[in-house]
Amino acid sequence: MLRRVTATADVAEILAVLAEDGGLIVDGMFSARVITTMRQAILDRASRVIPGDADQGLGAAGKGFVGANTIRFSSLGKLSPAFFEMLDNPIYAAVADAVLLPHCGSYWVNTGQAMLIGPNSEAQVLHRDCNNWPAMSAVDWPNGPELTLSAMIALDEMTEELGATRVIPGSHRWTDSKREGTHAETYPAVMQPGDALVYSGKLVHGGGANRTTDRWRNAMHLSF
């Protein structure tokens, strides 16, 4: 199962579940005020973005990865100061420090991106974020240093029907780094606005299928 804790949980508890499962939901990690502000800024920008236009710099392969009716864009810091409040979130900062700093002198923002999945979208291919750096992720797999830590943050209700992100708990410890599992093994990260799925770069995950005909799944991704 995909475990969840409240934002009032001790950071040690969050780290323990993260180590065991590779990911968990932190309920209420971001305030309603900051989420409302960021949501509006993202939706205003999204109204001027063509669905399926993003390719992650990978051309046709990237378009397939993102999805034909998905809106993605970065540079969220240009949209609202609320983005920088999110960067300073004390829970996320404490978890990132504990996970990343033992292996580096410092770290920086890897991705701040809107991820809006449109109606009738198929499920995304399952993947691990750490494989953006394949030469590094393969070192002493699965015991090598963590390369990235991510949070998928709900801007609106995220249900399974709307395409909630799907994860395979424990997949960060699979001995075969090339095994990406199947959708039958996944669990949906069902969340309310302000909740966050915090997960290891080694965890197998992917966007879910949006089975509605007229509703979007609105979320943002923030990783270090």
Side-chain angles (χ1 to χ4, degrees):
M1 62 179 294
L2 181 57
R3 288 191 274 180
R4 59 199 314 145
V5 302
T6 67
T8 58
D10 189 84
V11 171
E13 179 183 354
I14 295 174
L15 291 169
V17 178
L18 185 65
E20 290 180 17
D21 296 352
L24 73 161
I25 295 171
V26 180
D27 292 331
M29 193 162 93
F30 295 93
S31 71
R33 177 187 57 80
V34 76
I35 289 296
T36 297
T37 302
M38 201 69 228
R39 175 188 181 278
Q40 190 59 56
I42 284 174
L43 293 184
D44 287 347
R45 176 73 178 89
S47 67
R48 302 189 298 277
V49 177
I50 300 172
D53 196 44
D55 65 2
Q56 306 298 98
L58 300 173
K63 285 184 178 293
F65 178 82
V66 170
N69 197 32
T70 294
I71 291 175
R72 286 200 189 196
F73 54 86
S74 301
S75 300
L76 300 186
K78 294 181 178 180
L79 303 183
S80 171
F83 176 74
F84 299 99
E85 288 189 58
M86 298 180 80
L87 286 183
D88 289 336
N89 180 275
I91 301 170
Y92 196 29
V95 174
D97 283 355
V99 170
L100 300 175
L101 283 181
H103 312 291
C104 62
S106 63
Y107 59 88
W108 55 85
V109 176
N110 174 47
T111 305
Q113 189 172 80
M115 293 186 176
L116 316 181
I117 299 178
N120 298 311
S121 292
E122 297 181 357
Q124 186 184 36
V125 63
L126 297 174
H127 60 282
R128 292 183 170 94
D129 289 346
C130 68
N131 286 336
N132 287 327
W133 306 274
M136 292 296 295
S137 66
V139 175
D140 194 27
W141 179 271
N143 302 311
E146 191 69 77
L147 301 179
T148 183
L149 179 75
S150 293
M152 185 67 69
I153 304 159
L155 300 175
D156 286 312
E157 182 182 31
M158 285 179 61
T159 66
E160 183 171 10
E161 184 185 31
L162 277 170
T165 300
R166 306 193 68 91
V167 304
I168 305 180
S171 57
H172 66 307
R173 293 185 279 108
W174 288 350
T175 56
D176 182 359
S177 64
K178 298 186 184 302
R179 178 184 170 197
E180 294 180 339
T182 67
H183 280 280
E185 298 173 271
T186 63
Y187 293 84
V190 174
M191 297 189 284
Q192 295 296 317
D195 297 347
L197 168 67
V198 179
Y199 60 99
S200 159
K202 300 176 184 180
L203 186 74
V204 174
H205 69 283
N210 185 334
R211 298 192 295 271
T212 71
T213 59
D214 60 353
R215 297 172 62 199
W216 284 75
R217 188 215 78 170
N218 299 321
M220 61 174 282
H221 179 263
L222 179 58
S223 67
F224 294 118

